[in-house]
């Protein structure tokens, strides 16, 4: 349907593509190379590998859209939790777990982490009941479960629903930095720009609660490499966290405390 919005953004896209082509005297060979990259990204894109999204992300496009989407109530004392890109490895229908459960299976590690905190309304500070935290991160080999035939289905993913006190807690791992898949078009683009493919260690969250704006975000380990030069530009200061050595819990070597603050629509 040709809505006014679609007409406007399509015309603008065409104008910018023409300007880009003219300003750079794009040759037939260069144009064909660009086409081939797009076709290859299309051929490679499936459930396990969102190559098209990966290409946009190394251009910083998803992060730009995220910044445009995240508008602050500027007169508020506090701010809602900063957002960050979803990335290509989210999966719907992660297991629904109970507080205190562990999302790790079949992995020996000395980086086991107890993560906990509260989900609150950022204006009132009150806890939010019925908030669903959808969490996912990579294994120590740097692979998400769907990229790795050696991990059980839905490993390192889970959904947790808060009760009246808004609190959540679960066991996960302290993640590691890892390279985004770079054997395809996204990798070619990085190479052409002399850029590395690494992302700092991070844990993803998608948090939903009735009446509140969903939060898509990631938190980053302060000790990780690549905080300053994330291949997909997702790091924000307020999302950098500290994994603190944790004694007396046979299930964890680190503790991680983080509160999520949500805004109403
Ligand atoms: C991207 C994001 C991720 O979180 C990740 O783990 C890999 C790639 C991306 O934005 O392309
Ligand atoms: Fe990720």
């Amino acid at each position: 349907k040709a809505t006014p919005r679609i007409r406007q953004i399509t015309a603008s896209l065409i104008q910018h593509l023409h300007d880009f082509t003219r300003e750079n005297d794009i040759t037939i060979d260069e144009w064909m190379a660009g086409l081939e990259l797009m076709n290859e990204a299309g051929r490679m894109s499936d459930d396990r590998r969102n190559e098209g999204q990966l290409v946009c992300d190394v251009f910083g496009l998803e992060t730009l859209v995220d910044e445009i989407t995240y508008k602050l109530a500027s007169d508020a004392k506090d701010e809602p939790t900063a957002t960050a890109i979803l990335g290509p490895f989210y999966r719907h229908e992660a297991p629904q777990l109970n507080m205190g459960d562990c999302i790790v299976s079949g992995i020996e590690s000395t980086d086991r982490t107890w993560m906990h905190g509260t989900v609150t309304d950022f204006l009132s500070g009150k806890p939010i009941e019925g908030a669903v935290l959808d969490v996912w991160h990579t294994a120590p080999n740097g692979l998400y479960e769907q990229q790795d035939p050696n991990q059980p289905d839905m490993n390192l993913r889970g959904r947790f629903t808060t009760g009246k006190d808004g609190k959540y807690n679960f066991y996960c791992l302290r993640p590691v930095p890892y390279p985004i898949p770079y054997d395809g078009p996204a990798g070619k683009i990085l190479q052409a720009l002399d850029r590395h493919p690494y992302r700092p260690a991070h844990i993803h969250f998608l948090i939903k609660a009735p009446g509140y704006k969903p939060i898509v975000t990631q938190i980053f380990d302060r000790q990780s490499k690549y905080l300053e030069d994330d291949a997909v530009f997702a790091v924000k200061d307020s999302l950098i966290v500290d994994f603190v050595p944790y004694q007396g819990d046979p299930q964890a070597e680190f503790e991680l405390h983080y509160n999520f603050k949500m805004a109403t629509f």
Side-chain angles (χ1 to χ4, degrees):
K1 262 271 171 60
T3 63
R5 173 70 178 164
I6 288 177
R7 275 186 221 282
Q8 184 206 320
I9 63 178
T10 308
S12 170
L13 176 65
I14 292 167
Q15 186 194 323
H16 282 89
L17 286 174
H18 281 226
D19 286 350
F20 160 80
T21 308
R22 237 187 328 264
E23 279 168 24
N24 294 287
D25 293 319
I26 296 298
T27 65
I28 294 220
D29 285 350
E30 287 164 344
W31 173 66
M32 293 292 266
L35 268 187
E36 182 42 43
L37 208 76
M38 281 195 345
N39 286 340
E40 194 183 341
R43 282 192 298 271
M44 288 180 79
S45 291
D46 62 17
D47 288 354
R48 275 162 202 280
R49 178 141 181 180
N50 286 320
E51 188 69 22
Q53 190 169 1
L54 214 55
V55 168
C56 290
D57 291 352
V58 300
F59 286 142
L61 269 185
E62 190 179 357
T63 288
L64 179 56
V65 173
D66 168 50
E67 276 165 12
I68 293 165
T69 308
Y70 182 75
K71 293 208 181 77
L72 296 180
S74 52
D75 54 347
K77 277 192 250 52
D78 205 352
E79 293 176 356
T81 300
T83 55
I85 61 177
L86 182 70
F89 298 114
Y90 176 67
R91 284 186 71 191
H92 293 275
E93 305 296 318
Q96 289 180 289
L97 304 175
N98 296 314
M99 293 305 171
D101 281 353
C102 178
I103 63 172
V104 188
S105 71
I107 296 171
E108 290 280 320
S109 171
T110 51
D111 284 329
R112 297 172 306 164
T113 297
W114 183 56
M115 181 165 186
H116 64 111
T118 309
V119 183
T120 61
D121 179 304
F122 91 102
L123 281 177
S124 70
K126 293 204 173 109
I128 298 175
E129 179 178 9
V132 179
L133 271 90
D134 198 335
V135 55
W136 67 106
H137 69 77
T138 56
N141 64 4
L143 295 174
Y144 287 94
E145 140 279 326
Q146 76 267 52
Q147 301 175 283
D148 184 358
N150 295 319
Q151 286 182 59
D153 191 46
M154 291 289 181
N155 194 30
L156 302 172
R157 295 176 190 274
R159 283 183 289 169
F160 299 87
T161 305
T162 59
K164 273 208 161 40
D165 60 3
K167 289 192 192 305
Y168 73 88
N169 77 93
F170 60 85
Y171 291 91
C172 60
L173 297 176
R174 183 177 184 170
V176 295
Y178 85 102
I180 65 171
Y182 57 96
D183 56 344
K188 283 189 187 142
I189 291 162
L190 290 172
Q191 239 173 42
L193 299 172
D194 281 328
R195 281 169 48 191
H196 69 71
Y198 282 85
R199 297 217 57 214
H202 62 281
I203 304 176
H204 291 266
F205 294 89
L206 168 57
I207 303 170
K208 292 182 177 171
Y212 289 89
K213 286 185 200 157
I215 297 177
V216 175
T217 197
Q218 311 179 15
I219 54 174
F220 300 90
D221 184 347
R222 192 179 309 282
Q223 311 275 321
S224 176
K225 276 182 82 171
Y226 311 113
L227 288 175
E228 306 294 328
D229 54 350
D230 181 1
V232 296
F233 312 102
V235 181
K236 296 176 181 171
D237 284 348
S238 64
L239 298 173
I240 298 176
V241 299
D242 296 289
F243 289 75
V244 180
Y246 192 41
Q247 256 107 51
D249 184 339
Q251 277 184 264
E253 286 76 32
F254 292 95
E255 175 185 11
L256 173 56
H257 180 255
Y258 198 77
N259 293 336
F260 293 98
K261 295 176 276 186
M262 304 188 80
T264 49
F265 282 106

